[in-house]
Amino acid sequence: MAATTVSKVPNFHDILPDAIMSNIFSLITDTRTRNAMSLVCLKWCKLERSTRKSLALRGNIRDLNQVPVCFQAINNLDLSCLSPWGHPLLESSSNPSLLAKLLSHAFPSVVSLTIYARSPLTLHFLAPEWPKLSHVKLVRWHQRFNAPIGYDFFALFEHCPSLSSIDLSHFYCWTEDLPTAFELYPSIAASLSHLNLLVGHSFTEGYKSHELLSITSACPNLSQLLATCVFDHRFLGFVGDETLLSIASNCPRLSLLHLADSTALSSNSSRADPNNNDEGYASEDARISPTALGDFFESLPLLEELVLDAGNNVRDTWPALELLNAKCPRLKSLKLGQVHGICREIDSSMPAAGVALWKGLESLSIKNSADLTDSALIAISLGCSNLTKFEVQGCNKITKMGMQIFARVLEKTLVDVRISSCKYLNTVCSLQALEPIRDRIQRLHVDCVWESVEQYSQDHEIRGESSSSSHEACGFKDFQTEKRIMMSEEEASLKKKAKCCDGSGNGFSSCSDTWTKLKYLSLWIAVGELLNPIRLAGLENCPILEEIQIKVVGDCRNQQKPVFMAEFGLNSLVNYPQLSRMHFDCGDAIGFALTAPRGYADLSLWERFYLNGIENLNLKELNYWPPQDMDVHQRSLSLPAAGLLSQCRSLRKLFIHGTANEHFMSFFLKIPTLRDVQLREDYYPAPENDTTSEMRVDSCYRFQDALNRRHIPD
């Protein structure tokens, strides 16, 4: 009997040369995909490790001496999220200099570093080990150490002469620190091309004019500058005409410029009330004239992206914006805040002007522009024919008709839209206005305002007349009961309109249409409002929606107990089959963390109200911000919240942006697929020591040890 010969099938990597295999691996950036590839065989594992360029360490600080040495090609290293979060990186070690050398030996090619620098000693030990650093992002939410002015940067500037980019957008320091450091190290300042000082988290009041001038004069080669500053002329050192012209003179090579008032960056103060009766102007005018603004734009011919959010009125700007268009042909992105007169309307006696002439613009954001009307919006859509991203906020003169025509004109290009805080654009009107691009839009933000202005006022008058006698006899009616009645009536009204759809474009004729390409949805909702009507409002079918961000804002102390209401409505998101990531931000919801007055609810009841139903969602990643008590500076996970989150059986990553009790954290060990959990106190000021935090360092160690001992199915 002849023996049969079985031919060996060659492996994929045996056919292709190693150089091609390395190039293929280098093109793959998704972390989970790379990790899966490394499990194929030993050769693929070595290839994956040798070609990985970016890495974010998520281990424990005490285990840094066990860091692997196979990632020799890493050039972008993130050390800002080590556990326990915010703990001093090297100071806890008995030999911090040796630990710094171990890190440099494990990652010798690092040129971009992100690190939580709670104290200056962290950079004192690490900076000498990576002298080729070109980009550094510093993170610190704790209070500044009692050190000399500028001391936080001395070690970095001393040992890293190749620095070209610094990001301080999440780093708390004094505004005097950086100018002082630049004076001592002028060569570092002169070599910088990117500087991010855009602190949007109430760290400081912003950089004053003399500080901005000192920074820009020391950094003449900047191509990107982002800064929080003071535009209010009632403060010393405000930014006005002279400051703007000096910035342009000091840094003529700027391609990205972002100047924003500190008040404009606050999530609460920057939002105008859509139901107010004023004209939409701020109480004060910025000291920025149209002539100086035009000269400022003319001095920056290389601009590609511009953000100007003064927080105070900047009026009659369309001539300056025309000059910006003529002198800055590379400009692709523009964001304006509290800037008025940006466009001369098409029904004027003269042709359209201002922003409406920019054919090359791809991204446009207009915030709190009091005189932006439907006709101006239409003029912008006709002139800016290449817009792919558009944001409008706090513009109370635009309506559904103007927004719908805007969307129809740009239906071939527009894929990213944000509509918020506009008086005549509630949720239903906003979604109906976007009907022309429903099958193209990929990213969307809307406010959850269920009642239109007219309907709300009519309903309010009817209820007032019918119940005035009962109010006089029985006293004030329960607020939350009234809200529940209003919401149920609104849902019934929406259902009735949905049934009456005739396909003619009236009412809710397109409510059942599919948002074919929508992958990201952002929602803003006031405290006490429900999420349930979202599907009836027009967002019922989103087959590929992957990520949702929900921000809850308001004062729970002005509300009655949420037990009078139904659950918030996370169950309404079950119909999104691909939803796997959620950012649920209740950090701007304010309440009583401890004992609430009689008749009011503490934050644990509100957390139960908001998180009820989250266990029914097939989430893989969740970022959750607990509500806060500003009086005691506490953002802590409550027992009901921990219990509800522990029922999310599909979670792989859970990040809680606050504190928690160790016992509550142990609930999460019941989630079978959970492999990454962290408490991040990323708000200012973060708790300074163990006595002000419920989750101490030893508690984090015990929890992570228990988490790592579990068997994870995948």
Side-chain angles (χ1 to χ4, degrees):
M1 184 176 180
T4 58
T5 303
V6 179
S7 60
K8 183 179 179 181
V9 179
N11 291 320
F12 176 72
H13 56 259
D14 292 332
I15 301 174
L16 295 178
D18 290 344
I20 296 179
M21 287 291 295
S22 296
N23 290 335
I24 293 174
F25 274 66
S26 300
L27 294 174
I28 299 172
T29 56
D30 181 68
T31 303
R32 291 208 68 192
T33 303
R34 294 188 66 98
N35 291 339
M37 292 168 60
S38 67
L39 299 176
V40 173
C41 63
L42 182 60
K43 183 173 182 178
W44 281 41
C45 181
K46 291 180 178 179
L47 272 173
E48 193 281 323
R49 298 297 189 255
S50 63
T51 57
R52 184 175 291 205
K53 300 297 183 182
S54 180
L55 182 68
L57 283 186
R58 280 287 295 109
N60 200 295
I61 289 178
R62 63 177 179 178
D63 299 327
L64 280 178
N65 59 337
Q66 303 176 22
V67 66
V69 295
C70 54
F71 295 100
Q72 296 292 301
I74 293 294
N75 54 36
N76 184 4
L77 181 63
D78 187 347
L79 299 177
S80 64
C81 291
L82 290 167
S83 292
W85 186 92
H87 193 68
L89 180 60
L90 302 176
E91 289 84 327
S92 58
S93 172
S94 57
N95 195 338
S97 59
L98 177 61
L99 188 56
K101 291 185 180 298
L102 286 175
L103 286 173
S104 65
H105 175 68
F107 309 106
S109 305
V110 171
V111 295
S112 176
L113 178 65
T114 302
I115 188 168
Y116 197 99
R118 184 166 174 177
S119 77
L121 290 177
T122 302
L123 290 175
H124 174 77
F125 290 113
L126 284 179
E129 305 301 329
W130 286 309
K132 296 182 180 180
L133 284 177
S134 61
H135 169 75
V136 173
K137 179 177 180 179
L138 302 182
V139 181
R140 180 169 67 193
W141 296 86
H142 290 81
Q143 295 188 26
R144 181 186 182 276
F145 266 63
N146 187 16
I149 295 177
Y151 189 70
D152 283 310
F153 308 107
F154 288 173
L156 183 65
F157 292 173
E158 176 72 26
H159 298 285
C160 301
S162 301
L163 271 179
S164 62
S165 174
I166 300 177
D167 188 344
L168 304 179
S169 58
H170 293 87
F171 184 75
Y172 173 71
C173 62
W174 293 344
T175 56
E176 306 95 320
D177 283 328
L178 198 59
T180 301
F182 282 159
E183 289 179 4
L184 296 177
Y185 297 91
S187 61
I188 295 294
S191 66
L192 289 180
S193 62
H194 175 94
L195 184 59
N196 190 347
L197 308 175
L198 195 67
V199 181
H201 306 279
S202 301
F203 282 171
T204 64
E205 294 180 352
Y207 286 84
K208 295 180 172 58
S209 58
H210 65 276
E211 293 166 341
L212 280 178
L213 295 181
S214 174
I215 291 172
T216 54
S217 61
C219 308
N221 296 313
L222 282 178
S223 62
Q224 299 183 10
L225 173 63
L226 303 89
T228 307
C229 43
V230 181
F231 282 97
D232 194 334
H233 66 89
R234 295 173 293 183
F235 291 88
L236 293 175
F238 71 91
V239 173
D241 290 345
E242 294 182 2
T243 307
L244 291 181
L245 294 174
S246 298
I247 290 175
S249 175
N250 293 337
C251 303
R253 302 178 184 177
L254 285 173
S255 62
L256 185 155
L257 179 61
H258 191 146
L259 298 177
D261 191 84
S262 56
T263 59
L265 293 174
S266 172
S267 60
N268 292 330
S269 63
S270 63
R271 294 183 63 90
D273 183 0
N275 296 318
N276 62 10
N277 294 321
D278 59 15
E279 296 180 356
Y281 292 96
S283 58
E284 298 288 337
D285 287 356
R287 296 300 170 89
I288 300 176
S289 65
T291 303
L293 193 61
D295 295 339
F296 173 64
F297 294 153
E298 191 174 7
S299 303
L300 298 172
L302 302 180
L303 272 183
E304 298 178 13
E305 181 176 345
L306 173 65
V307 178
L308 181 62
D309 196 343
N312 293 312
N313 302 315
V314 182
R315 301 175 185 265
D316 303 324
T317 57
W318 67 263
L321 294 175
E322 277 190 345
L323 194 59
L324 175 63
N325 179 36
K327 299 298 182 180
C328 304
R330 300 181 182 180
L331 193 69
K332 301 295 182 184
S333 177
L334 177 65
K335 183 174 182 179
L336 302 173
Q338 213 67 50
V339 175
H340 314 290
I342 65 173
C343 176
R344 192 165 55 204
E345 304 176 7
I346 59 177
D347 57 356
S348 173
S349 59
M350 299 182 68
V355 176
L357 297 177
W358 290 4
K359 294 183 178 181
L361 204 62
E362 297 177 359
S363 175
L364 176 61
S365 175
I366 304 173
K367 187 172 96 173
N368 299 332
S369 182
D371 53 3
L372 183 71
T373 61
D374 283 347
S375 57
L377 199 61
I378 296 170
I380 292 173
S381 67
L382 294 172
C384 304
S385 56
N386 293 318
L387 276 183
T388 60
K389 180 179 180 180
F390 179 68
E391 177 183 5
V392 61
Q393 176 180 332
C395 299
N396 291 336
K397 290 187 177 181
I398 61 174
T399 66
K400 170 187 168 183
M401 181 193 70
M403 194 65 207
Q404 193 167 36
I405 297 175
F406 179 90
R408 183 174 291 113
V409 173
L410 295 171
E411 61 181 346
K412 293 183 179 180
T413 60
L414 203 58
V415 295
D416 188 343
V417 178
R418 297 180 62 90
I419 304 174
S420 58
S421 195
C422 295
K423 186 174 184 178
Y424 297 110
L425 288 174
N426 64 349
T427 312
V428 174
C429 293
S430 298
L431 296 177
Q432 289 180 342
L434 297 177
E435 188 270 338
I437 59 172
R438 186 164 297 181
D439 60 342
R440 292 184 52 86
I441 190 170
Q442 299 175 13
R443 298 175 64 88
L444 172 65
H445 170 88
V446 291
D447 291 351
C448 294
V449 181
W450 308 122
E451 304 92 354
S452 65
V453 178
E454 296 81 6
Q455 181 179 353
Y456 178 84
S457 61
Q458 292 173 3
D459 291 348
H460 186 72
E461 291 174 1
I462 294 173
R463 291 191 191 94
E465 294 173 359
S466 62
S467 59
S468 58
S469 59
S470 60
H471 275 253
E472 293 173 357
C474 303
F476 182 70
K477 195 172 182 179
D478 183 83
F479 178 78
Q480 293 294 350
T481 304
E482 178 74 8
K483 183 178 291 292
R484 182 174 56 178
I485 293 173
M486 290 171 60
M487 293 301 295
S488 62
E489 290 179 359
E490 180 67 18
E491 287 193 40
S493 174
L494 291 174
K495 290 179 180 179
K496 182 177 179 181
K497 291 182 179 180
K499 290 179 180 179
C500 296
C501 291
D502 56 0
S504 60
N506 298 322
F508 284 72
S509 60
S510 57
C511 290
S512 61
D513 288 357
T514 301
W515 300 75
T516 311
K517 297 183 179 180
L518 187 64
K519 293 184 178 181
Y520 170 86
L521 176 63
S522 174
L523 302 172
W524 179 96
I525 189 166
V527 161
E529 297 291 340
L530 303 180
L531 191 62
N532 293 321
I534 185 173
R535 289 182 298 162
L536 295 173
L539 283 169
E540 183 176 6
N541 296 323
C542 303
I544 65 170
L545 182 66
E546 300 174 351
E547 181 177 356
I548 190 169
Q549 180 170 343
I550 303 174
K551 187 172 184 64
V552 181
V553 177
D555 195 339
C556 301
R557 297 171 298 184
N558 296 332
Q559 310 282 332
Q560 296 295 323
K561 290 184 177 180
V563 294
F564 291 106
M565 300 174 62
E567 62 185 37
F568 174 59
L570 290 182
N571 279 322
S572 59
L573 306 179
V574 173
N575 285 352
Y576 304 145
Q578 300 299 320
L579 184 62
S580 60
R581 298 189 300 275
M582 175 184 285
H583 285 235
F584 196 7
D585 187 355
C586 297
D588 286 327
I590 303 169
F592 300 103
L594 304 175
T595 304
R598 184 176 180 181
Y600 293 85
D602 59 27
L603 290 178
S604 64
L605 290 179
W606 282 103
E607 284 196 278
R608 175 184 295 169
F609 165 72
Y610 280 113
L611 291 173
N612 201 353
I614 196 171
E615 68 278 4
N616 298 322
L617 305 179
N618 191 30
L619 296 177
K620 299 294 189 296
E621 181 177 336
L622 174 63
N623 281 263
Y624 175 63
W625 286 258
Q628 62 169 314
D629 187 334
M630 298 183 67
D631 294 336
V632 296
H633 190 63
Q634 183 171 355
R635 304 190 189 198
S636 179
L637 193 72
S638 66
L639 175 60
L644 290 168
L645 291 177
S646 67
Q647 298 178 37
C648 299
R649 297 300 180 181
S650 60
L651 273 182
R652 291 178 56 86
K653 296 182 179 180
L654 174 61
F655 303 118
I656 298 171
H657 300 260
T659 63
N661 186 281
E662 181 180 0
H663 173 63
F664 298 165
M665 293 291 290
S666 65
F667 293 179
F668 302 142
L669 299 175
K670 301 176 182 178
I671 304 176
T673 58
L674 192 64
R675 61 187 307 157
D676 193 358
V677 185
Q678 191 171 43
L679 295 177
R680 297 178 179 176
E681 299 159 351
D682 48 359
Y683 51 90
Y684 178 80
E688 281 294 327
N689 50 52
D690 290 346
T691 61
T692 58
S693 174
E694 298 168 274
M695 193 70 177
R696 294 167 173 79
V697 173
D698 292 338
S699 304
C700 290
Y701 290 162
R702 287 190 292 268
F703 173 76
Q704 288 192 337
D705 289 341
L707 187 69
N708 294 332
R709 285 195 299 265
R710 301 176 312 126
H711 170 71
I712 300 175
D714 59 347

